[in-house]
Amino acid sequence: MKKMIKVKRPSVPASLQQYADQWLADLLAKINEVGSYKEVAATYKFKYNQPDVQAALERMYGGKCCFCESSVGETEYPAIEHRKPKSLPAFHKYIFDWNNLHWACPRCNTNKGSKWDPNYPILDPTADEPSDYFTFNVETCEAEPLTSPGRGKTTIDHVKLNRDGLVKFRKRIRTTALECMLGLEQSSDTNAIQRFKKLLEDLLKVDIEHGFKAEHSMFVKQLIDDFEQGSVL
Ligand SMILES: [Zn+2]
């Protein structure tokens, strides 16, 4: 299986560069004063929610959720995801840390919540190659960890990568992709070949800088690899 292209993180947005240290100092002082993170007013905690941070994360992930690769922002509000959960005392210090911020759909964000496995931490799409840790079963359309326990398993479990909606979505993509690939293989009609090629290209829109841009592209990529190797159909 070919490697996925990791997401490349751009430089720190100006607001964080300028204020992150001060915001963190203020937050830690406030936690100290009131006794717990939970009691601290929201205004101290959500300062990372700046327009330039949102724009940089959205661009970085090509408008997709960092975990499930669904498009976010068209029908739901995307969330700034703290990979190291901000509510855990050990990770308060990473709340305004650019390297801890990601872009997630509300479902993945809510499913993950403050879960953290210190032995097998959830994958970081800007530092890890997801395909080194989990794969897709193109028959069931479910994500499967390469090892269990392991970091792929943690990722699948914490955000529920095999929830009904995602599996259904992958199955729909599978139908289209297989139809295109079979069509390309069997058709001799130039117009039909062009149409199949265009459809496949849309499924696999490649973004050189940010890796694969289309929704669920890791799954599509694997479907195509498996098809080429003759292990599907
Ligand atoms: Zn998601």
Side-chain angles (χ1 to χ4, degrees):
M1 187 169 68
K2 288 172 202 143
K3 295 272 171 132
M4 290 298 298
I5 302 169
K6 249 181 345 203
V7 174
K8 198 172 151 225
R9 187 179 283 278
S11 53
V12 188
S15 63
L16 289 179
Q17 199 159 16
Q18 195 170 355
Y19 299 114
D21 291 348
Q22 187 56 51
W23 291 342
L24 181 61
D26 292 348
L27 174 70
L28 294 178
K30 204 68 194 169
I31 293 172
N32 208 26
E33 183 192 319
V34 300
S36 79
Y37 173 85
K38 217 175 149 212
E39 303 297 318
V40 173
T43 47
Y44 286 90
K45 301 175 187 170
F46 297 114
K47 287 178 179 159
Y48 55 81
N49 223 347
Q50 303 293 328
D52 63 341
V53 176
Q54 293 173 349
L57 289 172
E58 185 172 23
R59 231 179 9 253
M60 177 170 111
Y61 279 111
K64 293 191 305 180
C65 171
C66 66
F67 296 121
C68 74
E69 288 202 295
S70 300
S71 258
V72 278
E74 283 155 16
T75 54
E76 307 171 286
Y77 285 109
I80 291 182
E81 157 69 23
H82 289 74
R83 181 175 163 266
K84 291 177 175 155
K86 58 186 185 301
S87 59
L88 299 184
F91 296 147
H92 292 335
K93 61 185 174 212
Y94 300 124
I95 188 167
F96 307 117
D97 182 339
W98 177 229
N99 288 316
N100 192 38
L101 305 184
H102 300 263
W103 194 242
C105 73
R107 280 175 195 264
C108 286
N109 185 253
T110 304
N111 287 342
K112 181 170 160 285
S114 58
K115 296 187 189 91
W116 180 255
D117 183 334
N119 297 316
Y120 301 102
I122 193 164
L123 295 173
D124 176 347
T126 64
D128 304 307
E129 293 284 355
S131 56
D132 287 345
Y133 299 92
F134 70 88
T135 181
F136 286 103
N137 179 325
V138 296
E139 294 299 324
T140 63
C141 295
E142 292 193 350
E144 291 180 348
L146 296 188
T147 59
S148 183
R151 297 183 60 203
K153 171 110 172 78
T154 302
T155 306
I156 293 166
D157 290 350
H158 282 192
V159 300
K160 298 192 170 77
L161 276 186
N162 290 328
R163 54 188 191 253
D164 282 354
L166 287 176
V167 172
K168 274 186 197 149
F169 204 114
R170 289 181 204 128
K171 284 185 172 163
R172 284 207 298 274
I173 291 176
R174 180 180 186 271
T175 305
T176 311
L178 289 182
E179 211 173 293
C180 290
M181 290 184 287
L182 275 178
L184 277 174
E185 212 170 61
Q186 294 165 358
S187 184
S188 52
D189 170 37
T190 331
N191 287 336
I193 288 175
Q194 283 307 108
R195 208 172 61 241
F196 288 132
K197 274 192 174 159
K198 174 81 182 60
L199 266 172
L200 259 190
E201 266 169 30
D202 285 347
L203 282 177
L204 254 182
K205 266 179 212 140
V206 174
D207 181 310
I208 302 298
E209 191 182 353
H210 302 112
F212 293 101
K213 202 176 176 182
E215 281 191 281
H216 306 282
S217 53
M218 180 174 170
F219 173 68
V220 177
K221 185 75 185 50
Q222 186 173 337
L223 202 54
I224 292 174
D225 282 351
D226 284 15
F227 181 82
E228 283 170 351
Q229 287 164 19
S231 52
V232 189
L233 293 178

CSV table of all heavy atoms in Angstrom, one decimal, residues 64-70 72 103-109 159 161 163 166, ligand 1:
chain,number,residue,atom,x,y,z
A,64,LYS,N,-11.4,19.7,5.7
A,64,LYS,CA,-11.8,18.3,6.1
A,64,LYS,C,-11.5,18.1,7.6
A,64,LYS,O,-10.6,18.7,8.1
A,64,LYS,CB,-11.1,17.2,5.3
A,64,LYS,CG,-11.4,17.2,3.9
A,64,LYS,CD,-10.9,15.9,3.2
A,64,LYS,CE,-9.4,15.7,3.4
A,64,LYS,NZ,-8.9,14.5,2.8
A,65,CYS,N,-12.3,17.2,8.2
A,65,CYS,CA,-12.0,16.9,9.6
A,65,CYS,C,-10.7,16.1,9.6
A,65,CYS,O,-10.5,15.2,8.8
A,65,CYS,CB,-13.2,16.0,10.1
A,65,CYS,SG,-12.9,15.2,11.7
A,66,CYS,N,-9.9,16.4,10.6
A,66,CYS,CA,-8.5,15.8,10.7
A,66,CYS,C,-8.6,14.3,11.0
A,66,CYS,O,-7.7,13.6,10.7
A,66,CYS,CB,-7.7,16.5,11.8
A,66,CYS,SG,-8.3,16.3,13.5
A,67,PHE,N,-9.7,13.8,11.5
A,67,PHE,CA,-9.9,12.4,11.9
A,67,PHE,C,-10.6,11.6,10.8
A,67,PHE,O,-10.2,10.6,10.3
A,67,PHE,CB,-10.5,12.2,13.2
A,67,PHE,CG,-9.7,12.8,14.4
A,67,PHE,CD1,-10.3,13.8,15.2
A,67,PHE,CD2,-8.4,12.4,14.6
A,67,PHE,CE1,-9.5,14.3,16.2
A,67,PHE,CE2,-7.7,12.9,15.7
A,67,PHE,CZ,-8.2,13.9,16.5
A,68,CYS,N,-11.9,12.1,10.5
A,68,CYS,CA,-12.7,11.2,9.7
A,68,CYS,C,-12.7,11.6,8.2
A,68,CYS,O,-13.3,11.0,7.4
A,68,CYS,CB,-14.2,11.2,10.2
A,68,CYS,SG,-15.1,12.7,9.9
A,69,GLU,N,-12.0,12.8,7.9
A,69,GLU,CA,-11.9,13.2,6.5
A,69,GLU,C,-13.2,13.6,5.8
A,69,GLU,O,-13.3,13.7,4.6
A,69,GLU,CB,-11.2,12.2,5.6
A,69,GLU,CG,-9.7,12.0,5.9
A,69,GLU,CD,-9.0,11.4,4.7
A,69,GLU,OE1,-9.3,10.2,4.3
A,69,GLU,OE2,-8.2,12.1,4.1
A,70,SER,N,-14.2,13.9,6.7
A,70,SER,CA,-15.4,14.5,6.1
A,70,SER,C,-15.3,16.0,5.9
A,70,SER,O,-14.6,16.6,6.7
A,70,SER,CB,-16.6,14.2,7.0
A,70,SER,OG,-16.8,12.9,7.3
A,72,VAL,N,-16.0,19.6,6.5
A,72,VAL,CA,-16.7,20.3,7.7
A,72,VAL,C,-16.9,21.8,7.3
A,72,VAL,O,-16.2,22.4,6.6
A,72,VAL,CB,-16.0,20.2,9.0
A,72,VAL,CG1,-16.2,18.9,9.7
A,72,VAL,CG2,-14.5,20.5,8.8
A,103,TRP,N,-8.3,20.5,13.3
A,103,TRP,CA,-9.6,20.9,12.8
A,103,TRP,C,-10.5,19.7,12.7
A,103,TRP,O,-10.2,18.7,12.0
A,103,TRP,CB,-9.4,21.5,11.3
A,103,TRP,CG,-10.5,22.3,10.7
A,103,TRP,CD1,-11.1,22.0,9.5
A,103,TRP,CD2,-11.0,23.6,11.1
A,103,TRP,NE1,-12.0,23.0,9.2
A,103,TRP,CE2,-11.9,23.9,10.2
A,103,TRP,CE3,-10.7,24.4,12.2
A,103,TRP,CZ2,-12.6,25.1,10.3
A,103,TRP,CZ3,-11.4,25.6,12.3
A,103,TRP,CH2,-12.4,25.9,11.3
A,104,ALA,N,-11.6,19.7,13.4
A,104,ALA,CA,-12.4,18.5,13.4
A,104,ALA,C,-13.9,18.8,13.3
A,104,ALA,O,-14.4,19.9,13.5
A,104,ALA,CB,-12.2,17.8,14.8
A,105,CYS,N,-14.6,17.7,12.8
A,105,CYS,CA,-16.1,17.8,12.7
A,105,CYS,C,-16.6,17.7,14.1
A,105,CYS,O,-16.0,17.2,15.0
A,105,CYS,CB,-16.7,16.7,11.8
A,105,CYS,SG,-16.7,15.1,12.5
A,106,PRO,N,-17.8,18.2,14.4
A,106,PRO,CA,-18.4,18.2,15.7
A,106,PRO,C,-18.5,16.8,16.3
A,106,PRO,O,-18.4,16.6,17.5
A,106,PRO,CB,-19.8,18.9,15.6
A,106,PRO,CG,-19.7,19.6,14.3
A,106,PRO,CD,-18.7,18.9,13.4
A,107,ARG,N,-18.8,15.8,15.4
A,107,ARG,CA,-19.0,14.5,15.9
A,107,ARG,C,-17.7,13.9,16.5
A,107,ARG,O,-17.6,13.3,17.5
A,107,ARG,CB,-19.6,13.5,14.9
A,107,ARG,CG,-21.0,13.7,14.7
A,107,ARG,CD,-21.6,12.9,13.6
A,107,ARG,NE,-22.9,13.3,13.2
A,107,ARG,CZ,-24.0,12.7,13.7
A,107,ARG,NH1,-23.9,11.7,14.5
A,107,ARG,NH2,-25.2,13.2,13.4
A,108,CYS,N,-16.6,14.0,15.7
A,108,CYS,CA,-15.3,13.5,16.1
A,108,CYS,C,-14.9,14.2,17.4
A,108,CYS,O,-14.4,13.6,18.3
A,108,CYS,CB,-14.3,13.6,15.0
A,108,CYS,SG,-14.4,12.4,13.7
A,109,ASN,N,-15.1,15.5,17.3
A,109,ASN,CA,-14.7,16.4,18.5
A,109,ASN,C,-15.4,16.0,19.7
A,109,ASN,O,-14.8,15.8,20.8
A,109,ASN,CB,-14.9,17.8,18.1
A,109,ASN,CG,-14.4,18.8,19.1
A,109,ASN,OD1,-15.2,19.4,19.9
A,109,ASN,ND2,-13.1,19.0,19.2
A,159,VAL,N,-12.6,8.5,18.4
A,159,VAL,CA,-13.5,9.3,17.6
A,159,VAL,C,-14.6,8.6,16.9
A,159,VAL,O,-15.4,9.1,16.2
A,159,VAL,CB,-12.7,10.2,16.5
A,159,VAL,CG1,-11.7,11.1,17.2
A,159,VAL,CG2,-12.1,9.3,15.5
A,161,LEU,N,-14.4,6.0,14.4
A,161,LEU,CA,-14.3,6.1,13.0
A,161,LEU,C,-15.1,5.1,12.2
A,161,LEU,O,-15.2,5.1,11.0
A,161,LEU,CB,-12.8,5.8,12.6
A,161,LEU,CG,-11.8,7.0,12.6
A,161,LEU,CD1,-10.5,6.6,12.1
A,161,LEU,CD2,-12.4,8.2,11.8
A,163,ARG,N,-18.4,4.7,13.0
A,163,ARG,CA,-19.8,5.0,13.2
A,163,ARG,C,-20.7,4.8,12.0
A,163,ARG,O,-20.1,4.9,10.8
A,163,ARG,CB,-20.0,6.4,13.9
A,163,ARG,CG,-19.4,7.5,13.1
A,163,ARG,CD,-19.4,8.8,13.9
A,163,ARG,NE,-19.0,9.9,13.1
A,163,ARG,CZ,-17.9,10.6,13.1
A,163,ARG,NH1,-16.9,10.2,14.0
A,163,ARG,NH2,-17.6,11.7,12.4
A,166,LEU,N,-20.4,7.2,8.8
A,166,LEU,CA,-19.2,7.2,8.1
A,166,LEU,C,-19.1,5.9,7.2
A,166,LEU,O,-18.7,6.0,6.1
A,166,LEU,CB,-18.0,7.2,9.0
A,166,LEU,CG,-17.7,8.6,9.7
A,166,LEU,CD1,-16.5,8.5,10.7
A,166,LEU,CD2,-17.4,9.6,8.6
B,1,ZN,ZN,-14.7,13.9,11.9
